[in-house]
Amino acid sequence: MFRPLSLLIINISKHNVASQIKYSTAILPRLSSEKYNIKRKSFGTINESDINHFRSILSENRVITDESDVLPYNIDWIKNCRGQSKVVLKPKTTDEVSEVLSYCNSKKLAVCPQGGNTGLVGGSVPVFDEIVLNFSLMNKVISLDDISGALVCEAGCVLENLDNYVRQHNLIMPLDLGAKGSCHIGGNVSTNAGGLRLLRYGNLHGSILGLEAVKADGTVIDCLRTLKKDNTGYHLKHLFIGSEGTLGVVTKVAVHCPAVSKAVSLGYFGVNTFEDVLQLYRNAKISLGEILSAFEMADNRAICSTVKNLKLTNPLEDYPFYVLIETSGCDEEHDSEKLNRFLSKEMESGHIIDGTVTSEPAKMRTIWNIRENIAEAGLHDGYVFKYDVSIPLNNYYDIVLLLRKKLEGKYTNIYGYGHIGDGNIHINVTVPEYSKEVCDMLEPYIFEQVAKLKGSISAEHGVGFRKPQFIHYSKDESALRLMKDLKHLMDPNGILNPYKVLPDV
Ligand SMILES: Cc1cc2nc3c(=O)[nH]c(=O)nc-3n(C[C@H](O)[C@H](O)[C@H](O)COP(=O)(O)OP(=O)(O)OC[C@H]3O[C@@H](n4cnc5c(N)ncnc54)[C@H](O)[C@@H]3O)c2cc1C
Ligand SMILES: *[C@@H]1O[C@H](CO)[C@@H](O)[C@H](O)[C@H]1NC(C)=O
Ligand SMILES: *[C@@H]1O[C@H](CO)[C@@H](O)[C@H](O)[C@H]1NC(C)=O
Ligand SMILES: *[C@@H]1O[C@H](CO)[C@@H](O)[C@H](O)[C@H]1NC(C)=O
């Protein structure tokens, strides 16, 4: 039966984004424009009088031009992309954002909106000299209705702070991402971020009740309603959710916050085959019903290299697959009875070989830490090629096996982990250092295979700078044409986050 969880975990250090950036400045990534052979589009070039104008809108200390101060804003979280921006602006209000954009549009100066800069597809850093907009100073909560659960706040609020705030009112944020200590709600909305609880709370297109955004020409679009139901014409907020800063800058959002769950349990299990993982998922949905809140899987190599690289302790022995199942409900006795009944059955049938279950917050944290740190651990192996795709569940794990075969002898490690409930798998290919040879073997091979399996080449991280040339694997020509028409309508000069999302013709 289940061994009680007796963990000795020393020093789970969560490297934050700031320390990642400091690290990356020591070994500067190559300029994105050179690495990917991109030509600068014919935007205006910023001069002294532009800088002075920004100073008049924002005041001196919110216009950053010192080269070494600007550097971190040019480098992305995974140290793959580096831009050449010379100016960072830090607006405090929607009016300031509007004034800045209106000016940039009139001078055809390109801009790159940046939230927590935790994006993984290069969308949040400039490619050439785009002006970076940092929203950290737009971090105020505007209102919270603790009956409906509607939270209204500015775009630069850090997710973790919002979560702490709404918890005082027995509510939670409907998302919980691996990067929550750094990411901004505006960045989340702009990427339609998914995460660990999408299975339970759905994606942001459902949870965002309304928003305020600024168009390229400075026009403020007010869709900041807090209603759950509002079928009055086109659902414009959805244009900004997931458009990665290419259609407008999100300045305020209204989010629906669900009630906090009083009884939470987390199980961590060793499983023999991927087929068993799928059976377990199907049975969990049936037997756990409304209390199932997360169902995650990671393969042996994902867990083992994370545990090794970050000096964590794996509470279980070696198994081909690991599964995390979380339940969240409101009645501890009722929920744990349900969970125990389900687990005994699954152990009897052999879908689960070994495992551990806990309701103690500290122990649950320990288990989640292993899962959440998979994303970071790869950085210790050298260079990581990361892919984030969704694939229909029957073929979900095939892609890892295909890649291991294709890249035989060329990689340190290839592993898959992700959100089974959402058909979303993350694949990491680690190599001692970046190599064009490996890159060319991987791309577009992986995207072709995903398209063949009827999947999406970007499940949750977006298209950003890294994937526009591959978007056709997931979007039909007719859909791409409409995307371009919308872009042209909303940003005729193309100043908002250029070189991202849309492929050049
Ligand atoms: C450790 C780790 C774990 C992660 N886990 C998940 C996960 O589980 N699920 C998931 O979906 N993602 C995940 N991500 C990816 C990333 O964190 C998300 O995409 C997140 O939503 C980005 O938020 P951000 O504030 O950092 O945005 P940034 O990275 O700064 O920006 C992302 C994009 O949004 C645009 N943008 C930012 N702010 C605005 C704004 N106010 N208006 C308009 N455009 C804007 C940028 O131009 C860019 O294109 C993870 C990342 C890391 C590093
Ligand atoms: C944005 O500015 C704030 C301070 O104003 C800073 O703490 C933060 O690190 C900046 N964001 C990024 C991604 O550098
Ligand atoms: C925003 O994204 C971050 C990082 O990806 C995630 O941790 C967080 O939960 C998201 N916040 C919301 C409200 O979705
Ligand atoms: C795997 O890739 C993610 C991004 O998808 C990255 O953040 C993480 O560090 C990688 N993890 C490992 C163990 O390589």
Side-chain angles (χ1 to χ4, degrees):
M1 272 319 269
F2 297 108
R3 287 186 278 115
L5 193 70
S6 57
L7 295 167
L8 185 70
I9 298 231
I10 332 129
N11 190 13
I12 297 163
S13 67
K14 220 176 165 151
H15 301 235
N16 59 28
V17 171
S19 76
Q20 290 292 348
I21 286 172
K22 255 187 233 133
Y23 177 48
S24 61
T25 57
I27 34 160
L28 283 184
R30 277 180 70 196
L31 291 176
S32 305
S33 57
E34 289 172 4
K35 189 162 165 183
Y36 297 101
N37 193 21
I38 309 285
K39 291 217 158 40
R40 188 180 181 280
K41 293 186 179 173
S42 58
F43 294 111
T45 306
I46 198 157
N47 60 34
E48 203 50 41
S49 89
D50 300 325
I51 303 275
N52 286 335
H53 187 80
F54 293 134
R55 287 191 175 125
S56 76
I57 303 174
L58 298 177
S59 84
E60 187 91 11
N61 61 344
R62 292 191 281 126
V63 179
I64 317 288
T65 53
D66 181 84
E67 200 181 326
S68 63
D69 291 343
V70 173
L71 183 64
Y73 298 84
N74 274 315
I75 298 171
D76 71 338
W77 193 86
I78 49 173
K79 301 179 294 182
N80 181 54
C81 294
R82 177 156 66 102
Q84 304 162 58
S85 182
K86 299 190 163 32
V87 188
V88 179
L89 304 179
K90 299 191 174 180
K92 264 188 188 159
T93 65
T94 303
D95 284 346
E96 288 179 353
V97 174
S98 166
E99 271 191 71
V100 165
L101 286 185
S102 156
Y103 180 82
C104 290
N105 193 47
S106 71
K107 300 270 172 179
K108 293 199 171 50
L109 294 170
V111 260
C112 175
Q114 188 175 80
N117 197 12
T118 68
L120 300 171
V121 286
S124 54
V125 290
V127 179
F128 290 94
D129 53 350
E130 298 90 273
I131 296 163
V132 175
L133 296 182
N134 168 308
F135 300 104
S136 299
L137 302 177
M138 296 185 68
N139 62 354
K140 283 178 278 308
V141 170
I142 297 164
S143 65
L144 175 65
D145 177 339
D146 64 0
I147 296 178
S148 72
L151 168 78
V152 183
C153 66
E154 291 181 328
C157 291
V158 172
L159 191 64
E160 191 159 41
N161 298 345
L162 290 177
D163 200 51
N164 291 338
Y165 176 77
V166 299
R167 269 176 198 277
Q168 296 166 13
H169 301 269
N170 290 315
L171 299 169
I172 56 166
M173 293 304 287
L175 19 34
D176 187 11
L177 318 191
K180 75 174 168 218
S182 327
C183 63
H184 291 182
I185 188 74
N188 287 154
V189 168
S190 303
T191 56
N192 186 27
L196 303 167
R197 307 258 151 57
L198 192 135
L199 174 68
R200 175 66 164 271
Y201 301 114
N203 79 31
L204 282 178
H205 283 283
S207 308
I208 297 296
L209 302 168
L211 52 74
E212 177 192 80
V214 183
K215 273 200 328 172
D217 66 0
T219 314
V220 179
I221 307 291
D222 182 357
C223 299
L224 196 62
R225 309 296 292 269
T226 55
L227 304 167
K228 269 212 144 169
K229 299 183 78 169
D230 178 14
N231 281 351
T232 49
Y234 304 153
H235 290 238
L236 297 176
K237 67 183 178 192
H238 295 297
L239 283 177
F240 301 100
I241 302 172
S243 55
E244 302 178 61
T246 60
L247 296 182
V249 169
V250 176
T251 44
K252 295 193 182 90
V253 296
V255 195
H256 176 255
C257 300
V260 73
S261 298
K262 283 185 285 186
V264 180
S265 295
L266 183 62
Y268 177 60
F269 310 104
V271 177
N272 260 344
T273 65
F274 184 69
E275 184 51 33
D276 287 343
V277 174
L278 289 185
Q279 292 302 325
L280 196 57
Y281 174 53
R282 194 183 55 186
N283 296 346
K285 281 194 294 183
I286 296 169
S287 305
L288 299 172
E290 78 293 347
I291 63 169
L292 179 65
S293 56
F295 193 108
E296 300 275 313
M297 83 102 207
D299 65 16
N300 179 282
R301 295 189 199 183
I303 293 291
C304 292
S305 74
T306 302
V307 165
K308 190 176 121 238
N309 287 342
L310 300 179
K311 300 191 172 57
L312 305 176
T313 305
N314 188 357
L316 298 181
E317 280 153 37
D318 260 24
Y319 292 99
F321 294 93
Y322 296 91
V323 164
L324 266 90
I325 299 178
E326 185 195 66
T327 62
S328 309
C330 62
D331 184 329
E332 203 177 321
E333 213 174 302
H334 165 266
D335 296 353
S336 67
E337 201 181 301
K338 235 178 174 172
L339 181 61
N340 287 338
R341 214 179 314 130
F342 163 70
L343 293 177
S344 328
K345 216 165 90 195
E346 296 306 319
M347 290 199 78
E348 254 165 53
S349 65
H351 294 141
I352 293 175
I353 305 301
D354 189 11
T356 172
V357 181
T358 177
S359 306
E360 274 182 51
K363 290 179 180 171
M364 291 198 286
R365 205 51 258 146
T366 305
I367 295 176
W368 274 125
N369 255 313
I370 298 178
R371 164 64 186 86
E372 290 178 12
N373 275 307
I374 295 177
E376 194 178 301
L379 295 169
H380 292 240
D381 278 350
Y383 188 81
V384 195
F385 292 95
K386 302 171 221 287
Y387 299 96
D388 155 51
V389 302
S390 45
I391 300 176
L393 286 180
N394 276 331
N395 299 104
Y396 181 91
Y397 197 68
D398 295 0
I399 192 74
V400 174
L401 306 176
L402 284 168
L403 287 180
R404 283 187 189 151
K405 202 159 148 213
K406 170 96 177 166
L407 264 75
E408 219 175 319
K410 307 267 184 216
Y411 64 89
T412 315
N413 225 334
I414 297 182
Y415 43 84
Y417 63 99
H419 317 297
I420 276 274
D422 316 316
N424 179 190
I425 183 166
H426 298 300
I427 302 141
N428 286 22
V429 178
T430 61
V431 288
E433 59 184 356
Y434 177 84
S435 125
K436 177 130 191 350
E437 187 201 351
V438 174
C439 185
D440 289 345
M441 287 175 83
L442 278 165
E443 300 172 15
Y445 176 78
I446 181 166
F447 303 122
E448 284 164 10
Q449 297 306 313
V450 167
K452 248 192 224 162
L453 296 170
K454 304 215 177 333
S456 163
I457 63 150
S458 184
E460 59 178 11
H461 296 160
V463 178
F465 171 67
R466 292 284 285 115
K467 291 188 181 173
Q469 71 275 37
F470 304 119
I471 197 173
H472 66 275
Y473 286 107
S474 290
K475 275 270 182 306
D476 184 75
E477 185 52 40
S478 57
L480 275 176
R481 211 170 307 127
L482 181 57
M483 281 173 61
K484 284 180 184 162
D485 290 346
L486 279 169
K487 170 75 177 174
H488 187 71
L489 176 76
M490 297 179 70
D491 177 16
N493 292 329
I495 62 162
L496 286 178
N497 223 4
Y499 321 102
K500 319 281 171 66
V501 183
L502 288 162
D504 275 328
V505 223

